[in-house]
Amino acid sequence: MSDAFTLDPRLEAESFPLGRLELCEARLFNDARFPWLILVPARAGLVEIIDLDAAGQQRLMMEVALAAGALRSATRCHKLNVAALGNQVRQLHVHVIARFETDAAWPNPVWGRGARVPYAPPAAAQLAQQMRTAMELR
Amino acid sequence: MSDAFTLDPRLEAESFPLGRLELCEARLFNDARFPWLILVPARAGLVEIIDLDAAGQQRLMMEVALAAGALRSATRCHKLNVAALGNQVRQLHVHVIARFETDAAWPNPVWGRGARVPYAPPAAAQLAQQMRTAMELR
């Protein structure tokens, strides 16, 4: 736990950096089918939410709420999905996903629905900028 | 929002009551394939986590952590999955699921993996009692 935090390589490869919150690195998952944020608490060795101390858990909830509100405002989605799974990437990370009743997986969860569809770069940049502004990320 | 809280009928039909926390009704989902708790904030009209006020969000995190710790201690699971989805049942509810590298869905999420396998009643009663004790539910 004294080691420095480093982002999991798979999370890094599959998402774009948005910026840093007090606890988490905020990322935009690179799948144009679903507007999808990932929050990664930037502390080494975390796997479960309950690996965070109580203050860290509370901070995580605040940052999840911030991300969820920003994503809903930007996308006007029908539903938010929030999840910490970690069956494939063990490093603790929280998915915050904007869902639409017309999306490629509705009403099922988004995971395991075939290959990611990477964004066209301008679309990713536009959504990333909206998220940075809404979340007051620098 | 002034209406009284009533549990969604589908959640009620698919799970057993465990007891009441300060915010949430705690339930055991009736699927013997996965030890699976559901927390339902007992306030009328909630759909999203961000429909809760900040104090409610913080309380929800505390109760999620309590449930997760109890479930992990009782099952010695390999991973916890925590999620608020709500694509099918809109009433806000949080899944807290014990996962094993040998379970019927690993490493995928548990949703959409075919029909539930109801517990034999003694097995449900035993796990429910373990959960009530660990979560100090009355």
Side-chain angles (χ1 to χ4, degrees):
Chain A
M1 298 293 281
S2 62
D3 298 334
F5 168 81
T6 54
L7 184 64
D8 175 90
R10 181 166 160 189
L11 292 179
E12 184 163 28
E14 297 184 347
S15 62
F16 303 108
L18 292 175
R20 180 64 194 271
L21 298 162
E22 183 178 312
L23 175 62
C24 294
E25 282 200 19
R27 319 253 326 162
L28 174 64
F29 192 62
N30 187 13
D31 190 336
R33 300 174 300 170
F34 311 104
W36 181 335
L37 306 180
I38 296 181
L39 298 181
V40 188
R43 294 185 189 168
L46 299 175
V47 174
E48 303 289 359
I49 291 172
I50 53 176
D51 293 339
L52 284 164
D53 58 18
Q57 292 169 13
Q58 299 286 288
R59 184 69 214 173
L60 179 61
M61 177 57 91
M62 291 176 63
E63 296 183 1
V64 164
L66 175 69
L71 190 61
R72 186 167 67 174
S73 294
T75 65
R76 302 195 174 278
C77 59
H78 301 137
K79 189 70 193 70
L80 293 161
N81 289 178
V82 175
L85 303 179
N87 305 335
Q88 309 216 20
V89 171
R90 285 299 173 112
Q91 181 173 75
L92 177 61
H93 59 288
V94 181
H95 304 275
V96 181
I97 309 160
R99 301 300 308 277
F100 296 86
E101 291 169 6
T102 53
D103 74 30
W106 187 267
N108 300 113
V110 296
W111 303 278
R113 306 295 298 185
R116 284 184 302 114
V117 177
Y119 282 100
Q126 182 181 2
L127 182 54
Q129 194 50 49
Q130 280 183 289
M131 290 297 97
R132 287 190 191 100
T133 301
M135 297 171 71
E136 299 187 0
L137 290 163
R138 288 139 299 165
Chain B
M1 299 288 280
S2 62
D3 297 334
F5 168 79
T6 53
L7 185 64
D8 176 271
R10 181 165 161 189
L11 292 179
E12 184 164 27
E14 296 184 347
S15 62
F16 303 108
L18 292 175
R20 180 63 194 272
L21 296 162
E22 183 178 312
L23 175 62
C24 294
E25 283 201 17
R27 317 246 337 154
L28 173 64
F29 192 61
N30 188 12
D31 191 336
R33 299 174 302 171
F34 311 104
W36 182 336
L37 305 181
I38 296 181
L39 297 181
V40 188
R43 294 186 191 167
L46 300 174
V47 174
E48 303 288 359
I49 290 171
I50 54 176
D51 293 339
L52 284 164
D53 58 18
Q57 292 169 13
Q58 299 287 289
R59 184 68 216 174
L60 179 61
M61 177 57 90
M62 292 176 63
E63 296 184 1
V64 165
L66 175 69
L71 190 62
R72 185 167 69 174
S73 295
T75 65
R76 303 196 172 278
C77 60
H78 301 135
K79 188 70 194 67
L80 292 161
N81 287 179
V82 175
L85 304 178
N87 306 335
Q88 310 215 18
V89 171
R90 284 300 171 109
Q91 181 173 73
L92 177 61
H93 59 286
V94 181
H95 303 274
V96 181
I97 307 160
R99 302 298 310 275
F100 296 86
E101 291 168 6
T102 53
D103 74 31
W106 187 268
N108 300 113
V110 296
W111 302 278
R113 307 297 295 184
R116 285 184 301 116
V117 177
Y119 282 101
Q126 181 181 3
L127 182 53
Q129 194 50 49
Q130 279 183 288
M131 291 297 97
R132 288 191 190 101
T133 301
M135 296 171 72
E136 299 186 0
L137 289 163
R138 288 138 296 163

